[in-house]
Amino acid sequence: MAALDLSGKRVLITQSSTFMGPVLCELFAQLGAEVIADERTLLDPALPQAIVQAAGRIDVLIANLAIPAPTTPAVQVGDDEWRDAFAHMVDPLPRLVRAVLPQMIQRRSGKILLIGSASALRGMKRTSTYSAARGAQLSYIQAVGVEAAPHNVQINAIAQNFVENPTYFPLEVQANPAFQERLKREVPLGRLVTQQEDAQFAAYLCSDAADCFVGQVFPLCGGWIAR
């Protein structure tokens, strides 16, 4: 993957200062891409279309959408928490796709990659709101992925967990002995996936070498999900 060349690719990365945004921006630029980094959360329904219009040609869209995960027991989840998670992580996704997909279909070329979560693939306590929103993301990607495939546009998702990132696994969490024990107990790899490993896989999926993948969800979690 180190030999990947993304020269000439115009890559839009959303929420570029959070979650996987910083390392994605850095690696894609190193691989020759022209990175269009947008730091804003996408609560305004008009913002995705405005961002795409301002960017012009987009060869690759990376939908990097995240919020700190609520840990409310299911019976205590209120409407506000539920709506907030979907407003931040689910609602912006079809708006981004609707904004960028027409130009990709017209050129018969393009990649859309969601940076999602494996929490949608395995039940965990006190994550009903977050997991439901992440699950909606993955279902959407699978559906639009097969719809866009005949137009030579590839839409896929990385479903990650136990990956180094400041949103979910900051250094203070990593240093906690209880977390280190959990890591050994739950993750066959025995460590966090590094940011670079994650970003390199994302770069591969956004390269011409990955034209055969459509509507697929790729767990990246050190074996936490066995599928």
Side-chain angles (χ1 to χ4, degrees):
M1 291 186 186
L4 283 174
D5 183 4
L6 298 179
S7 298
K9 302 286 188 185
R10 289 174 53 82
V11 180
L12 171 61
I13 300 176
T14 68
Q15 281 190 233
S16 58
S17 63
T18 60
F19 191 27
M20 298 305 298
V23 67
L24 289 168
C25 290
E26 180 181 4
L27 180 67
F28 275 64
Q30 290 174 356
L31 295 174
E34 180 182 348
V35 175
I36 305 158
D38 193 281
E39 298 184 352
R40 291 168 287 183
T41 56
L42 302 178
L43 292 175
D44 181 350
L47 190 53
Q49 179 68 41
I51 292 170
V52 169
Q53 282 187 328
R57 193 187 92 242
I58 297 172
D59 300 298
V60 176
L61 164 66
I62 298 184
N64 177 63
L65 303 166
I67 59 169
T71 57
T72 311
V75 295
Q76 297 176 18
V77 172
D79 288 348
D80 288 345
E81 177 183 306
W82 185 269
R83 292 193 186 104
D84 184 68
F86 275 71
H88 279 88
M89 295 193 296
V90 180
D91 296 345
L93 187 55
R95 293 168 185 156
L96 286 165
V97 171
R98 287 197 302 267
V100 78
L101 188 55
Q103 61 167 279
M104 293 180 173
I105 290 174
Q106 186 175 29
R107 290 194 305 269
R108 292 192 58 80
S109 176
K111 296 279 196 301
I112 298 174
L113 180 65
L114 167 72
I115 308 299
S117 173
S119 67
L121 306 178
R122 174 174 167 173
M124 293 188 296
K125 296 176 182 178
R126 301 167 67 100
T127 64
S128 59
T129 302
Y130 183 79
S131 295
R134 289 301 198 180
Q137 287 183 327
L138 298 186
S139 294
Y140 177 78
I141 289 295
Q142 289 176 317
V144 296
V146 296
E147 187 174 328
H151 303 285
N152 197 40
V153 177
Q154 293 82 42
I155 303 177
N156 296 289
I158 293 175
Q160 66 182 61
N161 195 8
F162 294 105
V163 175
E164 291 177 343
N165 71 82
T167 301
Y168 300 114
F169 299 105
L171 293 178
E172 58 269 25
V173 169
Q174 296 183 41
N176 187 314
F179 174 76
Q180 294 173 10
E181 285 302 313
R182 180 190 174 201
L183 196 61
K184 294 175 183 177
R185 184 176 64 251
E186 294 188 23
V187 181
L189 185 63
R191 63 170 175 84
L192 292 179
V193 177
T194 70
Q195 292 187 77
Q196 283 293 319
E197 288 170 327
D198 191 326
Q200 286 172 351
F201 185 50
Y204 167 72
L205 291 175
C206 294
S207 74
D208 295 340
D211 285 354
C212 60
F213 298 114
V214 293
Q216 292 187 238
V217 172
F218 297 94
L220 185 65
C221 52
W224 185 70
I225 294 291
R227 79 177 212 188

